Amino acid sequence: MKWIFLLLTLVTLLSSCNSYNRILKSDDYESKFNEANRLYDSGKYDRCVALYEQVYQRSPRSPQGEVAFYRLGKACYAVEDWYLASYYLAAFPSKFPYSPKVEETTFLAAVCAVQNSPEVSLDQHETEVALNELQNFVTRFPNSELLDTCNTIMDKLRFKLETKDMMTVRLYSKTENYRAAVVSGEQFLDNYPRSTYREEAWAILMKNSYYLASNSVDSKIEERIAKTNERFNIFLVEFPNSDYLREFEGYIEKLKKVGVPVSNK
């Protein structure tokens, strides 16, 4: 009985494949459209794509063409082919501007961009693209029920960019590139005034400001010591209970005793 069942299954599969290939190669576009819909509705997204492409190419401005193009995007989205899904979904509103699917496809195209956003250690160009796509959606559909979802996703993407910038600040400090650490630390604090990394960024700025001053040349030491003192006073006001205070007070005391600097970084 087991062998009979397997044989019947194999015959069914071969028959299905033959039927699919026959429709794919035929000139009967009504059959192509119907078969594509059947496959799509049964969740066989990878198999319906070729048929929908043929239907759309044949009649791009017809009702069938609109359905085919829409479902091409949705099928690619379902199989997580984010780049191809983005192509179809992002193009849909311009090809069919009066379709009731415009809001949905615009949102899903933005979601594809979000899915292409890489891990935080990598270049974040795709993350910036995703943010722009979501912002465009919010601007275009200000009354959409998806606004809260968009805002939540955008907050996560912004935090990813924030974390990426903080990693850069940490790297400059770790490699003892004092000047770059100071500049990037100041930029970070300006760009993210409410950051959860704010105390850490200030700590890195203070530490590298101290080392930059204590290893400075004569022509710059006075200015750099003054800047370090200024930064310490701001840090003291903003983080009066910080665990870093004792360390930074030691920096200030040491700078008061600095003699002739010996190097320039």
Side-chain angles (χ1 to χ4, degrees):
M1 291 297 294
K2 183 184 294 184
W3 286 107
I4 293 174
F5 175 76
L6 290 174
L7 182 60
L8 289 173
T9 301
L10 180 59
V11 170
T12 301
L13 288 173
L14 289 174
S15 176
S16 175
C17 288
N18 289 334
S19 175
Y20 174 82
N21 289 329
R22 185 171 60 255
I23 295 172
L24 186 65
K25 295 175 182 178
S26 76
D27 293 327
D28 186 348
Y29 285 87
E30 188 68 28
S31 294
K32 291 177 189 287
F33 185 65
N34 291 335
E35 178 65 7
N37 287 336
R38 187 188 70 79
L39 292 168
Y40 181 92
D41 292 336
S42 61
K44 297 177 181 178
Y45 302 112
D46 54 335
R47 290 173 62 79
C48 70
V49 167
L51 292 169
Y52 277 136
E53 285 178 338
Q54 290 184 358
V55 171
Y56 174 75
Q57 291 299 327
R58 174 77 172 185
S59 306
R61 297 301 178 187
S62 69
Q64 286 186 341
E66 179 178 337
V67 172
F69 200 83
Y70 167 75
R71 288 195 163 191
L72 275 168
K74 290 293 292 285
C76 293
Y77 186 94
V79 298
E80 300 184 357
D81 187 341
W82 306 121
Y83 285 105
L84 196 54
S86 176
Y87 167 78
Y88 288 116
L89 294 167
F92 185 89
S94 61
K95 292 181 179 295
F96 307 100
Y98 303 108
S99 170
K101 304 291 188 183
V102 166
E103 180 178 341
E104 178 192 1
T105 53
T106 304
F107 174 74
L108 291 180
V111 173
C112 289
V114 173
Q115 293 293 342
N116 288 327
S117 173
E119 60 183 74
V120 70
S121 61
L122 302 177
D123 180 80
Q124 293 301 304
H125 171 72
E126 295 283 1
T127 303
E128 293 171 350
V129 169
L131 271 170
N132 288 334
E133 292 287 332
L134 288 165
Q135 185 58 59
N136 289 338
F137 177 85
V138 170
T139 301
R140 184 170 182 181
F141 303 100
N143 299 315
S144 173
E145 294 179 356
L146 295 166
L147 286 189
D148 287 344
T149 300
C150 286
N151 288 328
T152 298
I153 297 172
M154 290 169 72
D155 285 344
K156 291 179 179 178
L157 293 177
R158 291 189 185 104
F159 184 69
K160 181 183 280 191
L161 294 178
E162 181 181 328
T163 300
K164 175 66 173 178
D165 286 349
M166 189 63 211
M167 289 173 67
T168 300
V169 177
R170 290 170 182 158
L171 180 62
Y172 284 135
S173 181
K174 184 177 180 180
T175 56
E176 299 183 357
N177 191 337
Y178 307 138
R179 184 182 292 112
V182 166
V183 171
S184 64
E186 287 183 323
Q187 289 176 341
F188 182 89
L189 292 166
D190 286 341
N191 292 337
Y192 307 103
R194 296 179 178 83
S195 173
T196 56
Y197 299 117
R198 187 168 180 81
E199 183 176 357
E200 181 187 358
W202 260 108
I204 291 175
L205 174 59
M206 270 298 306
K207 176 181 177 181
N208 286 274
S209 182
Y210 161 72
Y211 283 118
L212 186 62
S214 60
N215 291 283
S216 186
V217 293
D218 287 335
S219 60
K220 296 182 178 180
I221 190 170
E222 184 176 348
E223 175 189 352
R224 288 174 175 171
I225 289 177
K227 285 296 295 182
T228 303
N229 275 304
E230 178 185 337
R231 288 165 181 148
F232 173 73
N233 290 331
I234 296 173
F235 184 89
L236 185 60
V237 171
E238 190 160 347
F239 305 102
N241 300 312
S242 174
D243 293 336
Y244 293 106
L245 280 181
R246 181 171 296 180
E247 178 184 353
F248 295 162
E249 287 169 351
Y251 289 167
I252 299 304
E253 291 301 316
K254 288 178 181 178
L255 287 178
K256 292 177 181 178
K257 302 174 184 178
V258 170
V260 179
V262 296
S263 65
N264 178 35
K265 293 216 176 201

